Amino acid sequence: MERRMLVAVSFGEPVLMARSVWDWLHSHLPSVSVCACVSAGLLLHYCSVCQTKQWQKLKTMVHWSPFVSLNKRYPWVQLAGHAGNFQAGEYGRLLKRYCECEQLCLSKLMGDILRPYVPGYYGVVQRDEQDYNLMDDLLADFDSPSIMDCKMGSRTYLAEELLKARERPRLRRDMYEKMVAVDPGAPTDQERAQQGILKPRYMQWRETLSSTATLGFRIEGIKRADGTCNTNFKKTKHREQVMQALGDFVDGNIQILKVYLQRLEELRSVLEKSQFFRTHEVVGSSLLFVHDASGQARVWMIDFGKTVPLPAPLTLDHRTPWIEGNCEDGYLWGLDNLIDILSTMLPPSR
Ligand SMILES: Nc1ncnc2c1ncn2[C@@H]1O[C@H](COP(=O)(O)OP(=O)(O)OP(=O)(O)O)[C@@H](O)[C@H]1O
Ligand SMILES: O=P(O)(O)O[C@@H]1[C@H](O)[C@H](O)[C@@H](OP(=O)(O)O)[C@H](OP(=O)(O)O)[C@H]1O
């Protein structure tokens, strides 16, 4: 039985973190006094980070929170998404901050033909008065995995977010700042004067800057087996740029590419038959790619925080372009493009 400990470097429980950091350092450093000094330094750093950055988005930094098991050590990596959303669970499972929408989706997915393509879901659990959805840690069966998060679909915001922004406009200074950091010329004169932008405007700008609008998916982050991480794909827009990033991710390994391609083709055919998929608008969901040196390579669908049921009898084909009111999300269009790109990266003899 695998026992896990959380070394919550960027988030988590201080007591558990302190104990885990201590255990880990103790097994790696030559003396107890060196170990104590390093632990104290790390804890001080942790406390100051917690005070100032309790709940923020990951920007270019990847969150490492190594779950150290007794028989195998691997750093758990959060490549994208909201910082502080995850906690370690026991036995290869993890806790994701509760979201009702996600809970409903994961529950339904457990009874859908898509089940093998999503993390196993085990219900809602409480820790320190916070609810979490308990699910499989998809990294658990890999050694030093390479990981990629691809956000799927041609649209990354829900129609209700658009309506909300129209009815009760709320200027987002954080989004304005993220925009200026990437392209100082992007805000309009009005946005510059307000030092803030509306969320749909930011999301649309992100979509057109990256490959979301043109290819129906975008790379959010990549962590390679050698430990290098890159979450700087905001301007990865063109097919050639995507191919370059995918080639780097698999380190030129054609065999891994083939396994991924096969898995994506299987997923597409299951998606085309899935009752869940037909009856839900799937926005902001990602495909998580994971492989390791053994040649094992898998892809799962994750993040159902913005996946919503359609009003009956509406169904989607997930390929028709979106217009306001039709709920189409471009998920399968994006998957078609991703499959096509991977196919062209393989030698013709496949
Ligand atoms: N079941 C899982 N197993 C392993 N890693 C996971 C799992 N779920 C999520 N992750 C990791 O956490 C990252 C963020 O996941 P997710 O998109 O679900 O978070 P989020 O905070 O809801 O994101 P967003 O802010 O985009 O809505 C993923 O890129 C991946 O690295
Ligand atoms: O990747 P970026 O450029 O940091 O932008 C974020 C990203 O688009 C997230 O998907 C979105 O969360 P949701 O998908 O949950 O809406 C978040 O909105 P938020 O700041 O309102 O959470 C954005 O800030």
Side-chain angles (χ1 to χ4, degrees), residues 239 243 246-247 250 252-265 338-350:
R239 214 180 146 89
M243 284 168 86
L246 293 175
V250 298
N253 187 325
I254 297 295
Q255 199 46 43
I256 297 282
L257 268 187
K258 279 186 186 169
V259 181
Y260 275 139
L261 181 57
Q262 195 184 351
R263 174 94 174 162
L264 289 179
E265 284 169 343
L338 185 52
I339 287 174
D340 186 56
I341 288 174
L342 284 174
S343 307
T344 58
M345 289 172 70
L346 288 172
S349 58
R350 179 173 94 89

Side-chain angles (χ1 to χ4, degrees), residues 198-348:
L198 298 173
K199 179 165 176 176
R201 151 85 169 124
Y202 175 78
M203 301 295 263
Q204 284 163 359
W205 168 77
R206 284 276 277 120
E207 288 165 10
T208 48
L209 191 70
S210 67
S211 56
T212 291
T214 47
L215 293 173
F217 71 90
R218 71 173 178 236
I219 299 174
E220 289 277 289
I222 287 178
K223 183 246 153 195
R224 287 162 31 117
D226 61 10
T228 53
C229 290
N230 188 358
T231 54
N232 189 17
F233 292 102
K234 284 198 168 77
K235 291 181 177 173
T236 302
K237 179 183 176 110
H238 302 292
R239 214 180 146 89
E240 296 69 29
Q241 294 171 298
V242 172
M243 284 168 86
Q244 175 70 49
L246 293 175
D248 286 349
F249 171 56
V250 298
D251 211 10
N253 187 325
I254 297 295
Q255 199 46 43
I256 297 282
L257 268 187
K258 279 186 186 169
V259 181
Y260 275 139
L261 181 57
Q262 195 184 351
R263 174 94 174 162
L264 289 179
E265 284 169 343
E266 278 165 25
L267 171 63
R268 177 168 61 184
S269 98
V270 175
L271 283 167
E272 283 170 340
K273 298 183 196 91
S274 160
Q275 170 70 8
F276 176 91
F277 195 58
R278 202 173 14 256
T279 55
H280 284 73
E281 180 180 356
V282 184
V283 169
S285 177
S286 287
L287 287 179
L288 193 70
F289 292 68
V290 190
H291 68 268
D292 65 18
S294 72
Q296 192 190 181
R298 306 277 302 273
V299 184
W300 289 272
M301 297 171 77
I302 59 163
D303 195 358
F304 301 98
K306 294 209 297 196
T307 294
V308 289
L310 298 164
L314 186 62
T315 57
L316 300 183
D317 64 32
H318 301 275
R319 287 190 174 97
T320 301
W322 178 69
I323 49 164
E324 219 177 317
N326 77 356
C327 298
E328 286 290 352
D329 52 38
Y331 192 110
L332 279 182
W333 174 60
L335 187 54
D336 290 340
N337 284 325
L338 185 52
I339 287 174
D340 186 56
I341 288 174
L342 284 174
S343 307
T344 58
M345 289 172 70
L346 288 172

Side-chain angles (χ1 to χ4, degrees), residues 57 77-82 85 96 136 138 149 151 303:
K57 283 293 297 182
V77 178
Q78 183 187 345
L79 271 181
H82 294 85
N85 257 4
K96 180 173 174 186
D136 279 332
L138 302 170
D149 179 311
K151 191 170 277 217
D303 195 358

